[in-house]
Amino acid sequence: MRSAWLVTPLLLVAPLSASLLRDTGLRCATETVAPPAPASAPVPSRDTSAITLYGRALPFPEFMERSSQRLPEWYAAADAAQVPDSLLRRARAVGGQWRVLVVAVDTCGDSLRQLPTVARLAELVHGLSMRVITPAEGGEAVQAMYRSLDGRKATPTYVLLDASGAERGCIVELPAPLRRLLHERRAEGTRGTNQALADTALAWYRADRGVSIASEIVALMESAAAGRTLCDRGS
């Protein structure tokens, strides 16, 4: 059965554009500085906890449909997203209620290559849901809390919430296998140029098909259910 996400069939046949995906793997950092408020303006009090932001975040289809520049690519990626049965069995075995808050930007190649599979996982596992918020809409507070090891606020940033709304795990920016591969390429020097790294990341994403990020989300759930908190902040 075709997913309810896919409400624009003509967009599904659009191929993933290599030129638009060359930002993939080049760290979609979102270091932004808001302009100072006028001295006379009151400072609003905002709850920026992850559970509150989750309530304001969008379901994945709504986030995807707001993409102004890459909508055909988002639809194509969503249509292609699949989750191996082995991962579905693991996720369903955890049980309970879990929410994944994702801070993402629709123009970020890493978000484009990861979120559709995590959304498919949530769609197929009872008790698991996912919502997406942009940095500008409040997600920057989550990024600031879960910076990468080298200090960046990056997208995508995932936070796992349990049934009570407590934060029980995180993943920042890249699946671990891709991060290790890019580290190796950078260490090789001549093969570590930005374009070479982007090409390496794109090839890896095409081969991986979202399995690694889905597996890491399931691992967060398993660890949280066992009383442990995993937080992979990348580097």
Side-chain angles (χ1 to χ4, degrees), residues 190-215:
T190 57
R191 296 180 64 185
T193 64
N194 279 350
Q195 188 59 63
L197 292 173
D199 291 342
T200 295
L202 182 55
W204 184 91
Y205 274 126
R206 285 174 170 163
D208 182 75
R209 297 181 177 273
V211 172
S212 291
I213 189 62
S215 178

Side-chain angles (χ1 to χ4, degrees), residues 18-146:
S19 62
L20 284 176
L21 283 175
R22 292 197 184 279
D23 59 331
T24 299
L26 290 184
R27 300 184 167 184
C28 300
T30 57
E31 296 290 352
T32 59
V33 178
S40 59
V43 178
S45 175
R46 285 201 308 165
D47 182 353
T48 56
S49 64
I51 186 59
T52 297
L53 292 175
Y54 185 91
R56 290 162 39 192
L58 294 176
F60 176 68
E62 294 181 30
F63 167 80
M64 180 173 63
E65 289 166 11
R66 291 197 322 179
S67 176
S68 59
Q69 300 182 43
R70 307 179 77 156
L71 187 57
E73 294 172 284
W74 277 101
Y75 272 110
D79 192 40
Q82 297 182 7
V83 181
D85 289 342
S86 59
L87 280 181
L88 292 176
R89 287 193 295 269
R90 284 174 54 193
R92 289 166 179 161
V94 174
Q97 298 291 319
W98 305 94
R99 287 165 282 194
V100 178
L101 174 65
V102 190
V103 183
V105 178
D106 61 12
T107 55
C108 173
D110 291 311
S111 296
L112 174 61
R113 302 302 283 181
Q114 296 177 36
L115 268 63
T117 307
V118 179
R120 184 76 75 197
L121 176 71
E123 181 185 39
L124 297 174
V125 175
H126 179 72
L128 176 64
S129 60
M130 184 189 94
R131 289 189 181 182
V132 189
I133 193 167
T134 67
E137 293 168 332
E140 190 172 19
V142 173
Q143 292 175 297
M145 179 69 68
Y146 295 99

